[in-house]
Amino acid sequence: MGAIVIDGAAMARQVLCEQKDAAQRLAARGFVPGLAVVLVGDDPASAVYVRAKERACREAGVSTFDYRLPATTTETELLQKIDALNSDSQVHGILVQLPLPAHMKAVSVLQRIDPAKDVDGFTWRSLGALLDGHALLAPCTPSGCMLMLERAGVPVAGKHAVVIGRSSIVGKPAALMLLERNATVTICHSRTPELATITREADILICAAGKPRMVTADMVKPGAAVIDVGINRMPDGKLCGDVDYDAVQARAGWITPVPGGVGPMTVAMVIANVITAAERLAA
Ligand code: NDP
Protein backbone atom coordinates (compact mmCIF):
# COMPACT_ATOMS: atom_id res chain seq x y z
CA MET A 1 0.00 0.00 0.00
CA GLY A 2 2.66 2.53 0.96
CA ALA A 3 2.75 5.94 2.57
CA ILE A 4 0.43 8.81 1.84
CA VAL A 5 2.42 11.19 -0.34
CA ILE A 6 2.13 14.76 0.92
CA ASP A 7 2.02 16.79 -2.28
CA GLY A 8 3.94 19.94 -1.39
CA ALA A 9 3.40 21.53 -4.79
CA ALA A 10 -0.41 21.24 -4.55
CA MET A 11 -0.40 22.36 -0.91
CA ALA A 12 1.78 25.36 -1.82
CA ARG A 13 -0.67 26.39 -4.56
CA GLN A 14 -3.45 26.27 -1.96
CA VAL A 15 -1.42 28.41 0.46
CA LEU A 16 -0.70 30.93 -2.31
CA CYS A 17 -4.41 31.08 -3.14
CA GLU A 18 -5.20 31.88 0.50
CA GLN A 19 -2.44 34.49 0.57
CA LYS A 20 -3.82 36.07 -2.61
CA ASP A 21 -7.14 36.63 -0.82
CA ALA A 22 -5.31 38.22 2.10
CA ALA A 23 -3.24 40.38 -0.29
CA GLN A 24 -6.44 41.57 -1.99
CA ARG A 25 -7.95 42.53 1.36
CA LEU A 26 -4.84 44.56 2.16
CA ALA A 27 -4.80 46.16 -1.30
CA ALA A 28 -8.44 47.22 -0.82
CA ARG A 29 -7.23 49.18 2.22
CA GLY A 30 -4.46 50.80 0.17
CA PHE A 31 -1.61 48.54 1.24
CA VAL A 32 -0.06 46.53 -1.58
CA PRO A 33 2.23 43.98 0.09
CA GLY A 34 5.78 44.24 -1.23
CA LEU A 35 8.83 41.99 -1.07
CA ALA A 36 12.36 43.26 -1.77
CA VAL A 37 14.68 40.54 -3.02
CA VAL A 38 18.41 41.22 -2.90
CA LEU A 39 20.70 38.95 -4.87
CA VAL A 40 24.44 39.61 -4.74
CA GLY A 41 26.61 37.98 -7.40
CA ASP A 42 25.64 35.51 -10.10
CA ASP A 43 25.24 32.13 -8.40
CA PRO A 44 22.97 30.23 -10.83
CA ALA A 45 21.18 28.18 -8.14
CA SER A 46 20.40 31.39 -6.20
CA ALA A 47 18.98 32.95 -9.36
CA VAL A 48 16.64 29.94 -9.74
CA TYR A 49 15.42 30.27 -6.13
CA VAL A 50 14.89 34.02 -6.53
CA ARG A 51 12.87 33.51 -9.72
CA ALA A 52 10.67 30.94 -7.94
CA LYS A 53 9.99 33.40 -5.10
CA GLU A 54 9.21 36.22 -7.54
CA ARG A 55 6.85 33.96 -9.49
CA ALA A 56 5.03 33.07 -6.28
CA CYS A 57 4.77 36.79 -5.42
CA ARG A 58 3.12 37.50 -8.77
CA GLU A 59 0.69 34.62 -8.21
CA ALA A 60 -0.29 35.97 -4.79
CA GLY A 61 -0.53 39.64 -5.78
CA VAL A 62 2.60 40.71 -3.90
CA SER A 63 4.78 43.41 -5.52
CA THR A 64 8.46 42.58 -5.92
CA PHE A 65 11.40 44.94 -5.83
CA ASP A 66 14.34 43.23 -7.40
CA TYR A 67 17.92 44.23 -6.57
CA ARG A 68 20.66 42.36 -8.46
CA LEU A 69 23.97 43.60 -7.13
CA PRO A 70 27.38 42.70 -8.61
CA ALA A 71 29.64 40.25 -6.76
CA THR A 72 32.05 43.17 -6.21
CA THR A 73 29.50 44.97 -3.97
CA THR A 74 31.08 45.77 -0.59
CA GLU A 75 29.46 44.74 2.68
CA THR A 76 29.03 48.44 3.54
CA GLU A 77 27.14 49.04 0.29
CA LEU A 78 24.90 46.05 0.97
CA LEU A 79 24.19 47.26 4.52
CA GLN A 80 23.26 50.69 3.11
CA LYS A 81 20.83 49.01 0.70
CA ILE A 82 19.26 47.09 3.60
CA ASP A 83 18.96 50.31 5.64
CA ALA A 84 17.15 51.95 2.73
CA LEU A 85 14.76 49.00 2.38
CA ASN A 86 14.15 48.97 6.16
CA SER A 87 12.77 52.50 5.89
CA ASP A 88 10.90 52.06 2.58
CA SER A 89 7.16 51.98 3.37
CA GLN A 90 6.35 50.05 0.17
CA VAL A 91 8.57 47.18 1.30
CA HIS A 92 7.05 44.83 3.90
CA GLY A 93 9.52 41.98 3.54
CA ILE A 94 13.26 41.86 2.81
CA LEU A 95 14.94 38.75 1.56
CA VAL A 96 18.72 38.59 1.09
CA GLN A 97 19.41 35.47 -0.94
CA LEU A 98 22.15 33.24 0.48
CA PRO A 99 24.94 32.36 -0.08
CA LEU A 100 26.60 35.78 -0.12
CA PRO A 101 30.03 36.27 -1.75
CA ALA A 102 32.92 35.11 0.45
CA HIS A 103 34.04 38.65 1.36
CA MET A 104 30.78 39.29 3.23
CA LYS A 105 29.70 38.03 6.66
CA ALA A 106 26.20 36.66 6.15
CA VAL A 107 25.55 36.81 9.87
CA SER A 108 26.09 40.57 10.14
CA VAL A 109 24.25 41.28 6.90
CA LEU A 110 21.16 39.32 7.99
CA GLN A 111 21.09 40.96 11.43
CA ARG A 112 20.75 44.37 9.75
CA ILE A 113 17.25 43.50 8.45
CA ASP A 114 14.44 45.07 10.48
CA PRO A 115 12.88 42.09 12.36
CA ALA A 116 9.44 43.41 11.33
CA LYS A 117 10.45 42.79 7.68
CA ASP A 118 12.53 39.64 8.30
CA VAL A 119 10.44 37.30 6.14
CA ASP A 120 13.13 34.61 6.16
CA GLY A 121 12.97 34.58 9.97
CA PHE A 122 16.78 34.47 10.28
CA THR A 123 17.44 37.47 12.54
CA TRP A 124 18.37 36.71 16.14
CA ARG A 125 15.28 38.61 17.23
CA SER A 126 13.04 36.31 15.14
CA LEU A 127 14.86 33.18 16.28
CA GLY A 128 14.84 34.33 19.90
CA ALA A 129 11.10 34.96 19.75
CA LEU A 130 10.61 31.47 18.33
CA LEU A 131 12.64 30.03 21.21
CA ASP A 132 10.34 31.80 23.65
CA GLY A 133 7.20 30.53 21.88
CA HIS A 134 6.18 33.89 20.37
CA ALA A 135 7.00 33.63 16.68
CA LEU A 136 7.42 37.03 14.98
CA LEU A 137 8.13 35.79 11.48
CA ALA A 138 9.12 32.14 11.56
CA PRO A 139 11.79 30.54 9.32
CA CYS A 140 10.03 29.39 6.15
CA THR A 141 11.35 25.85 5.63
CA PRO A 142 10.46 24.52 9.10
CA SER A 143 7.14 26.37 9.13
CA GLY A 144 6.40 24.78 5.74
CA CYS A 145 7.17 21.36 7.26
CA MET A 146 4.80 22.07 10.17
CA LEU A 147 2.00 23.15 7.86
CA MET A 148 2.47 20.00 5.79
CA LEU A 149 2.12 17.86 8.92
CA GLU A 150 -0.94 19.80 10.03
CA ARG A 151 -2.78 19.73 6.70
CA ALA A 152 -1.95 16.07 6.12
CA GLY A 153 -3.54 15.31 9.49
CA VAL A 154 -0.38 13.91 11.09
CA PRO A 155 -0.75 13.90 14.89
CA VAL A 156 2.10 15.78 16.58
CA ALA A 157 1.19 16.25 20.25
CA GLY A 158 2.63 13.52 22.43
CA LYS A 159 4.53 11.95 19.53
CA HIS A 160 8.28 11.41 19.30
CA ALA A 161 9.75 13.66 16.61
CA VAL A 162 13.33 13.22 15.45
CA VAL A 163 15.07 15.97 13.48
CA ILE A 164 18.26 15.13 11.58
CA GLY A 165 20.24 18.38 11.26
CA ARG A 166 20.83 21.30 13.63
CA SER A 167 21.29 24.33 11.38
CA SER A 168 19.80 27.63 12.54
CA ILE A 169 17.62 27.86 9.44
CA VAL A 170 16.13 24.35 9.39
CA GLY A 171 16.99 21.80 12.09
CA LYS A 172 16.91 23.90 15.26
CA PRO A 173 13.79 25.93 14.40
CA ALA A 174 12.02 22.75 13.23
CA ALA A 175 12.77 21.17 16.61
CA LEU A 176 11.44 24.24 18.45
CA MET A 177 8.24 24.26 16.39
CA LEU A 178 7.65 20.55 17.08
CA LEU A 179 8.25 21.16 20.78
CA GLU A 180 5.78 24.04 20.71
CA ARG A 181 3.22 21.60 19.29
CA ASN A 182 3.88 19.26 22.24
CA ALA A 183 6.01 16.64 20.52
CA THR A 184 8.90 15.05 22.39
CA VAL A 185 11.87 16.05 20.27
CA THR A 186 15.30 14.56 19.61
CA ILE A 187 17.83 16.46 17.48
CA CYS A 188 20.50 14.43 15.68
CA HIS A 189 23.61 15.64 13.84
CA SER A 190 26.84 14.38 12.31
CA ARG A 191 28.26 13.37 15.72
CA THR A 192 25.19 11.39 16.78
CA PRO A 193 26.13 7.73 17.27
CA GLU A 194 23.63 4.98 16.44
CA LEU A 195 21.52 7.32 14.33
CA ALA A 196 19.31 4.49 13.03
CA THR A 197 18.44 3.36 16.56
CA ILE A 198 17.11 6.86 17.26
CA THR A 199 15.31 7.40 13.96
CA ARG A 200 13.54 4.04 14.28
CA GLU A 201 11.84 5.46 17.40
CA ALA A 202 10.47 8.45 15.48
CA ASP A 203 6.76 8.91 14.82
CA ILE A 204 7.79 12.01 12.87
CA LEU A 205 11.16 12.15 11.13
CA ILE A 206 12.41 15.40 9.65
CA CYS A 207 15.51 14.91 7.51
CA ALA A 208 17.63 18.01 6.88
CA ALA A 209 21.22 16.80 6.56
CA GLY A 210 21.92 17.45 2.88
CA LYS A 211 23.10 13.86 2.30
CA PRO A 212 21.49 12.11 -0.66
CA ARG A 213 19.29 9.12 0.30
CA MET A 214 20.98 8.71 3.71
CA VAL A 215 17.68 7.73 5.38
CA THR A 216 17.05 4.15 4.35
CA ALA A 217 13.92 2.08 5.00
CA ASP A 218 15.48 0.21 7.94
CA MET A 219 15.90 3.58 9.73
CA VAL A 220 12.18 4.32 9.63
CA LYS A 221 9.45 3.18 12.03
CA PRO A 222 6.53 1.62 10.13
CA GLY A 223 3.76 4.21 9.76
CA ALA A 224 5.98 7.22 10.59
CA ALA A 225 5.63 10.61 8.91
CA VAL A 226 8.84 11.34 6.97
CA ILE A 227 9.48 14.92 5.89
CA ASP A 228 12.41 15.22 3.51
CA VAL A 229 13.96 18.70 3.52
CA GLY A 230 17.15 17.73 1.68
CA ILE A 231 17.83 19.06 -1.79
CA ASN A 232 20.79 17.33 -3.37
CA ARG A 233 21.86 17.77 -6.99
CA MET A 234 23.10 14.45 -8.36
CA PRO A 235 25.79 13.99 -11.04
CA ASP A 236 23.06 13.37 -13.66
CA GLY A 237 21.62 16.82 -12.82
CA LYS A 238 18.51 15.43 -11.09
CA LEU A 239 17.45 16.46 -7.61
CA CYS A 240 17.08 13.98 -4.80
CA GLY A 241 16.30 14.28 -1.11
CA ASP A 242 17.92 12.89 2.02
CA VAL A 243 15.48 9.96 1.99
CA ASP A 244 15.68 6.78 -0.07
CA TYR A 245 12.22 7.58 -1.36
CA ASP A 246 10.94 4.36 -2.97
CA ALA A 247 11.99 2.04 -0.15
CA VAL A 248 10.86 4.42 2.61
CA GLN A 249 7.54 5.10 0.87
CA ALA A 250 6.73 1.40 1.21
CA ARG A 251 7.21 1.56 5.00
CA ALA A 252 6.21 5.05 6.16
CA GLY A 253 2.71 6.37 6.89
CA TRP A 254 3.30 9.73 5.19
CA ILE A 255 6.18 10.97 3.05
CA THR A 256 7.13 14.12 1.15
CA PRO A 257 8.73 13.84 -2.31
CA VAL A 258 11.78 15.71 -3.64
CA PRO A 259 11.23 17.70 -5.77
CA GLY A 260 7.64 18.77 -5.11
CA GLY A 261 7.61 18.56 -1.33
CA VAL A 262 9.18 20.95 1.17
CA GLY A 263 10.73 23.14 -1.57
CA PRO A 264 7.49 24.70 -2.92
CA MET A 265 6.10 24.95 0.62
CA THR A 266 9.16 26.97 1.66
CA VAL A 267 8.46 29.46 -1.12
CA ALA A 268 4.77 29.65 -0.16
CA MET A 269 5.73 30.36 3.46
CA VAL A 270 7.92 33.28 2.34
CA ILE A 271 4.82 34.79 0.76
CA ALA A 272 2.75 34.03 3.87
CA ASN A 273 5.37 35.88 5.94
CA VAL A 274 5.26 38.89 3.58
CA ILE A 275 1.48 39.07 4.03
CA THR A 276 1.78 38.71 7.82
CA ALA A 277 4.44 41.44 7.90
CA ALA A 278 2.28 43.71 5.70
CA GLU A 279 -0.79 43.11 7.89
CA ARG A 280 1.17 44.04 11.00
CA LEU A 281 2.77 47.10 9.41
CA ALA A 282 -0.68 48.18 8.10
CA ALA A 283 -2.42 47.73 11.46
P1 NDP B 1 23.56 22.51 6.92
O1 NDP B 1 24.68 21.96 6.11
O2 NDP B 1 23.67 23.85 7.51
O3 NDP B 1 23.23 21.48 8.11
C1 NDP B 1 23.21 20.11 7.88
C2 NDP B 1 23.01 19.41 9.21
O4 NDP B 1 22.95 18.03 8.98
C3 NDP B 1 24.12 19.66 10.20
O5 NDP B 1 23.58 19.91 11.47
C4 NDP B 1 24.92 18.37 10.19
O6 NDP B 1 25.51 18.03 11.43
C5 NDP B 1 23.85 17.36 9.87
N1 NDP B 1 24.39 16.17 9.20
C6 NDP B 1 25.19 16.13 8.12
N2 NDP B 1 25.50 14.86 7.82
C7 NDP B 1 24.89 14.09 8.74
C8 NDP B 1 24.83 12.70 8.98
N3 NDP B 1 25.49 11.83 8.19
N4 NDP B 1 24.12 12.24 10.02
C9 NDP B 1 23.46 13.09 10.83
N5 NDP B 1 23.46 14.43 10.65
C10 NDP B 1 24.18 14.92 9.62
O7 NDP B 1 22.29 22.40 5.96
P2 NDP B 1 20.86 23.14 6.02
O8 NDP B 1 20.22 22.91 7.33
O9 NDP B 1 20.99 24.51 5.51
O10 NDP B 1 20.10 22.30 4.90
C11 NDP B 1 19.93 20.91 5.01
C12 NDP B 1 19.41 20.36 3.69
O11 NDP B 1 18.15 20.98 3.43
C13 NDP B 1 20.27 20.67 2.47
O12 NDP B 1 20.13 19.61 1.55
C14 NDP B 1 19.64 21.91 1.87
O13 NDP B 1 19.84 22.02 0.48
C15 NDP B 1 18.19 21.62 2.16
N6 NDP B 1 17.35 22.80 2.25
C16 NDP B 1 16.15 22.73 1.63
C17 NDP B 1 15.27 23.76 1.69
C18 NDP B 1 13.97 23.61 1.01
O14 NDP B 1 13.32 24.60 0.74
N7 NDP B 1 13.52 22.38 0.75
C19 NDP B 1 15.61 25.02 2.37
C20 NDP B 1 16.85 24.96 3.11
C21 NDP B 1 17.70 23.89 3.01
P3 NDP B 1 26.66 18.94 12.12
O15 NDP B 1 25.94 20.13 12.69
O16 NDP B 1 27.24 18.06 13.16
O17 NDP B 1 27.62 19.31 11.03
Side-chain angles (χ1 to χ4, degrees):
M1 172 152 125
I4 295 167
V5 178
I6 306 178
D7 183 344
M11 215 178 259
R13 280 194 297 276
Q14 178 63 39
V15 172
L16 286 180
C17 230
E18 294 158 12
Q19 297 309 319
K20 187 175 182 178
D21 291 343
Q24 281 169 348
R25 284 195 294 277
L26 275 167
R29 293 168 50 207
F31 297 96
V32 177
L35 173 68
V37 180
V38 182
L39 176 58
V40 188
D42 45 19
D43 178 55
S46 294
V48 171
Y49 291 135
V50 163
R51 275 199 299 276
K53 288 166 191 169
E54 289 175 340
R55 206 168 38 241
C57 281
R58 278 196 299 278
E59 248 176 78
V62 170
S63 302
T64 51
F65 305 93
D66 193 8
Y67 299 96
R68 310 269 161 141
L69 308 179
T72 50
T73 304
T74 65
E75 191 171 308
T76 307
E77 287 166 335
L78 179 57
L79 293 176
Q80 282 165 353
K81 170 51 71 189
I82 293 173
D83 289 344
L85 295 172
N86 281 341
S87 48
D88 184 337
S89 62
Q90 286 187 297
V91 171
H92 305 97
I94 302 170
L95 198 150
V96 176
Q97 184 64 42
L98 299 178
L100 288 169
H103 64 276
M104 291 187 187
K105 277 200 215 72
V107 73
S108 37
V109 170
L110 294 178
Q111 299 318 312
R112 191 72 159 234
I113 296 172
D114 179 348
K117 299 188 178 187
D118 173 26
V119 289
D120 260 335
F122 293 166
T123 61
W124 292 333
R125 179 98 186 272
S126 303
L127 291 170
L130 181 64
L131 179 74
D132 203 23
H134 304 282
L136 294 175
L137 293 166
C140 299
T141 300
S143 56
C145 295
M146 295 307 294
L147 196 59
M148 291 176 104
L149 291 170
E150 184 185 317
R151 295 201 171 177
V154 177
V156 178
K159 299 296 177 185
H160 184 193
V162 173
V163 180
I164 307 178
R166 57 173 163 178
S167 73
S168 298
I169 62 172
V170 187
K172 283 182 197 160
L176 289 171
M177 289 177 192
L178 287 158
L179 189 61
E180 196 59 28
R181 296 272 311 279
N182 299 316
T184 300
V185 184
T186 305
I187 306 177
C188 302
H189 46 79
S190 66
R191 312 282 183 90
T192 302
E194 308 292 344
L195 181 65
T197 309
I198 299 169
T199 59
R200 271 197 292 272
E201 299 275 304
D203 302 302
I204 297 166
L205 180 59
I206 300 209
C207 315
K211 298 282 177 258
R213 300 192 185 103
M214 68 167 275
V215 175
T216 48
D218 60 311
M219 295 171 71
V220 173
K221 179 177 180 176
V226 180
I227 306 291
D228 190 353
V229 179
I231 299 180
N232 306 290
R233 174 114 13 221
M234 303 308 279
D236 63 4
K238 291 195 178 139
L239 292 181
C240 90
D242 287 357
V243 173
D244 184 6
Y245 184 85
D246 291 336
V248 172
Q249 204 255 334
R251 190 174 171 92
W254 295 265
I255 192 167
T256 64
V258 177
V262 177
M265 280 300 283
T266 296
V267 175
M269 299 317 283
V270 173
I271 308 303
N273 271 351
V274 177
I275 301 290
T276 302
E279 284 171 344
R280 287 182 187 152
L281 291 166

